[in-house]
Amino acid sequence: MTTFSGCVETPRDIFREYDAAFIQDIDVMSTPQEEGSLLTITPYIRNDQSSDSSMLSVKVKIIDQSTQLIVAEKDLDMGYVKAESMAYNSAALKISEPGEYAIEVQLFEDDRLLDARNTFVTVKEKPSADQPANIKLTDMNLVITKFVSSDQEAVVDISPGIYNEGGDSKFLNMVVTARVDPYKAYTESDELGIIKGSSRVRGNVRFVLPRNDEYTFTVVVEENGREIVMSETPEPIKLDEIYRIDVTKTYPLVEEGTPVIEDEAVEEPTEDATPGFQILMTLTAVLLVAGIVNRRILSSKKHRK
């Protein structure tokens, strides 16, 4: 099980010009093993330039916070990242003990350091079966099985990966939405049932989608009818760029968090509660009092005459 205790980003202008590729995010997942845990670290590399990058590579280090020693490290080839696009790769590194760890990711272009970013993770003991479930969405497989309607539509199988980091779950249901825009979306669901603690499964739904659109896929998992996790693909997927059938494409899923709970309505301050209005009212009151006093003095003088 992993819990994140914060993310510290090294100032990027130390390493690169602002038009270079950079580390957009780091995803970390811990999988309990018979001995120790396996950390799967996925850096997301963004290239906002108008041209393709040079050859990129990533160095991943896991540092024990108690000893400041590097307990595991690995190099990843990112290849060439296309202009104005994002790429990602994953490193699986094993650690033997639970504890507090820093994950350090460095990005290189032709062996020149472009960017560096750290995140921190707590690796806990393997959960017992009586603990609550802790469901995570890991990634999403997409397979076009065939083209229909004179190749204008595609039959698409979507298989999100689900991992239970906690104890045994209650009954789970998965809902997948392929969204084109706020007004056009397609939705399918799959009953997952009960997922045992520290187990991985893949749900599966099938869509028939127009090929000329691009889709953001959102995956929601419900436990006994209550939404517990929601994730989506970080960028829209263009089906017309996938030409071959029965080829599995794997995409990351970025967790959006729990549903937003609306706060109780807060009463807006009225005009007389604003400082400017209060000052104006005070000055008006002073002038009125002064006017009344002056009138009384004049009246008193007239009576004396």
Side-chain angles (χ1 to χ4, degrees):
M1 178 185 295
T2 60
T3 57
F4 292 92
S5 56
C7 180
V8 177
E9 183 179 347
T10 305
R12 292 194 173 119
D13 54 358
I14 293 176
F15 299 103
R16 69 176 184 90
E17 298 178 357
Y18 285 99
D19 59 351
F22 61 94
I23 303 167
Q24 178 171 296
D25 200 3
I26 306 169
D27 181 65
V28 183
M29 174 165 288
S30 173
T31 306
Q33 306 289 298
E34 290 299 323
E35 294 182 2
S37 295
L38 187 71
L39 292 186
T40 303
I41 302 158
T42 305
Y44 297 92
I45 309 302
R46 184 84 195 181
N47 177 18
D48 286 339
Q49 300 178 97
S50 58
S51 59
D52 297 351
S53 74
S54 299
M55 180 67 73
L56 299 178
S57 62
V58 167
K59 180 181 288 291
V60 179
K61 298 178 183 179
I62 301 178
I63 303 169
D64 189 330
Q65 290 290 82
S66 63
T67 63
Q68 294 301 307
L69 296 176
I70 298 173
V71 296
E73 61 182 317
K74 191 172 185 178
D75 294 329
L76 295 174
D77 288 329
M78 301 301 301
Y80 302 95
V81 180
K82 292 183 178 180
E84 299 179 351
S85 66
M86 183 180 68
Y88 59 91
N89 202 350
S90 296
L93 298 170
K94 189 173 182 179
I95 55 175
S96 58
E97 299 291 339
E100 306 284 337
Y101 294 90
I103 311 298
E104 180 181 291
V105 177
Q106 295 175 314
L107 174 65
F108 296 88
E109 183 178 43
D110 295 330
D111 297 326
R112 179 172 62 93
L113 182 61
L114 288 183
D115 197 7
R117 190 168 180 176
N118 296 339
T119 190
F120 300 93
V121 64
T122 302
V123 180
K124 297 182 179 180
E125 297 281 358
K126 186 175 180 179
S128 60
D130 59 353
Q131 289 185 7
N134 186 11
I135 303 299
K136 300 290 183 181
L137 290 161
T138 59
D139 56 18
M140 185 191 82
N141 286 347
L142 182 152
V143 180
I144 295 178
T145 60
K146 60 181 176 179
F147 299 117
V148 296
S149 303
S150 300
D151 290 345
Q152 297 302 304
E153 295 182 319
V155 179
V156 183
D157 283 353
I158 301 294
S159 301
I162 299 104
Y163 174 52
N164 183 4
E165 290 186 335
D168 296 351
S169 76
K170 299 179 174 62
F171 185 86
L172 299 179
N173 184 60
M174 180 188 70
V175 180
V176 181
T177 301
R179 183 171 300 280
V180 179
D181 55 44
Y183 308 100
K184 185 178 180 182
Y186 306 83
T187 301
E188 299 290 344
S189 62
D190 182 23
E191 293 183 352
L192 303 173
I194 294 173
I195 299 180
K196 295 290 186 180
S198 302
S199 296
R200 293 178 180 269
V201 300
R202 281 199 179 274
N204 183 261
V205 295
R206 172 166 289 185
F207 293 94
V208 179
L209 301 173
R211 289 183 64 187
N212 61 347
D213 285 328
E214 56 182 55
Y215 301 88
T216 298
F217 288 87
T218 302
V219 183
V220 174
V221 177
E222 302 168 341
E223 186 176 36
N224 280 354
R226 181 178 62 89
E227 180 182 315
I228 56 173
V229 65
M230 175 171 61
S231 298
E232 68 177 11
T233 51
E235 290 190 331
I237 297 171
K238 300 178 180 179
L239 292 186
D240 58 4
E241 293 184 352
I242 303 175
Y243 305 105
R244 298 174 59 190
I245 63 173
D246 296 329
V247 174
T248 301
K249 299 282 188 177
T250 303
Y251 301 91
L253 288 173
V254 179
E255 186 172 343
E256 292 188 354
T258 55
V260 176
I261 300 175
E262 295 184 359
D263 294 328
E264 294 182 1
V266 178
E267 185 178 350
E268 293 291 335
T270 57
E271 288 187 348
D272 59 355
T274 60
F277 192 80
Q278 289 178 342
I279 294 171
L280 179 61
M281 291 298 294
T282 302
L283 290 173
T284 302
V286 170
L287 292 173
L288 286 173
V289 170
I292 293 170
V293 171
N294 288 335
R295 284 198 297 270
R296 288 179 178 176
I297 292 173
L298 290 173
S299 177
S300 176
K301 288 182 178 179
K302 287 180 181 179
H303 286 299
R304 291 196 198 102
K305 291 179 180 181

